[in-house]
Amino acid sequence: MAKTFKKLVTITAPSGAGKSSITHYLLKHFPILDFSVSATTRPQRGTEKDGKDYYFLSLPDFLEKISSGLFLEYEMVYPGKYYGTLKSEIDRIWDAGKVPILDIDVKGAMKVREIFNDHALYVFIAPPSLDELKKRLIKRGTETLENVETRLEKANYELSFQNHFDKTIINKDLEKACKQTARMVKAFLEK
Ligand code: 5GP
């Protein structure tokens, strides 16, 4: 890990709140940003690519990396499923002269804040309501009904942490939410 603190952006949102669309928008509009690929033990979904969407690791590999101190932060985001940001991923992006953008959960973002403080921007994307979130998750069709329920419970918990972030963006209209987030990111990058 580099000694000097460099900039970093974290985007946090309950699953289905539109975080991926907003992150893609930011990556397209700010070439200086680079997506921090997390490691996870959850199974790969249909179109996902190893090394691009996630580094898909077996549980023993993930645990080995934890004990070797290779993670900047990691969490068991869902029961039995680990997700974490590798220090090497952040260094790779900084070494390329870019700013990492992390798509991580509430606890992970809090951990990042303990380390980086105001060298990072912390954005929370909220759905207009839990009902709307449920509809989106069902429509997306990537989760079983049981997983939808787990994700809703987690979303409810995560929403209670919104005011720990620099800004909450309510994603009612995706285009507006993208533009609003972009304005914040622009101000942060120019700081
Ligand atoms: P999904 O399984 O839908 O891809 O992601 C589930 C959740 O894990 C999302 O809320 C996402 O932000 C979170 N997540 C993804 N990568 C990381 C990570 O590296 N660290 C933490 N703490 N959470 C992550």
Side-chain angles (χ1 to χ4, degrees), residues 39-57:
T40 185
T41 61
R42 82 137 162 81
Q44 202 164 344
R45 288 185 194 134
T47 58
E48 288 179 335
K49 290 203 177 70
D50 186 35
K52 182 171 174 279
D53 298 286
Y54 281 106
Y55 299 110
F56 293 97
L57 301 184

Side-chain angles (χ1 to χ4, degrees), residues 84-97:
T85 308
L86 289 160
K87 292 177 182 171
S88 56
E89 184 65 7
I90 302 301
D91 279 339
R92 175 185 73 73
I93 297 173
W94 278 342
D95 289 348

Side-chain angles (χ1 to χ4, degrees), residues 53-182:
D53 298 286
Y54 281 106
Y55 299 110
F56 293 97
L57 301 184
S58 66
L59 183 59
D61 278 356
F62 200 102
L63 296 179
E64 163 63 30
K65 286 188 173 21
I66 294 178
S67 39
S68 306
L70 300 186
F71 284 106
L72 176 70
E73 63 75 36
Y74 67 89
E75 294 294 334
M76 190 187 276
V77 175
Y78 296 112
K81 303 285 180 284
Y82 283 101
Y83 295 74
T85 308
L86 289 160
K87 292 177 182 171
S88 56
E89 184 65 7
I90 302 301
D91 279 339
R92 175 185 73 73
I93 297 173
W94 278 342
D95 289 348
K98 294 193 159 195
V99 175
I101 177 163
L102 281 63
D103 162 353
I104 57 178
D105 81 334
V106 164
K107 284 198 197 151
M110 302 284 166
K111 185 75 199 298
V112 170
R113 177 136 85 180
E114 278 169 28
I115 303 168
F116 293 102
N117 223 315
D118 57 1
H119 292 271
L121 174 71
Y122 308 89
V123 184
F124 188 90
I125 314 283
S129 67
L130 280 177
D131 259 4
E132 176 61 28
L133 188 65
K134 185 172 187 175
K135 276 189 213 143
R136 288 184 194 171
L137 282 172
I138 291 172
K139 194 169 161 212
R140 189 168 84 178
T142 53
E143 310 301 326
T144 61
L145 272 184
E146 193 189 338
N147 278 351
V148 167
E149 288 307 324
T150 313
R151 279 168 190 258
L152 284 174
E153 266 170 43
K154 165 103 179 154
N156 203 11
Y157 169 77
E158 295 210 310
L159 286 167
S160 67
F161 285 87
Q162 314 182 23
N163 44 15
H164 291 252
F165 290 76
D166 290 334
K167 175 101 181 154
T168 297
I169 309 278
I170 307 215
N171 180 13
K172 191 156 186 269
D173 173 322
L174 183 60
E175 201 185 321
K176 278 193 192 145
C178 285
K179 289 191 172 149
Q180 219 183 334
T181 316

Side-chain angles (χ1 to χ4, degrees), residues 22 25-26 29-30 177-187:
I22 293 175
Y25 180 91
L26 295 173
H29 286 78
F30 299 94
C178 285
K179 289 191 172 149
Q180 219 183 334
T181 316
R183 278 198 293 277
M184 284 192 71
V185 170
K186 185 168 183 285

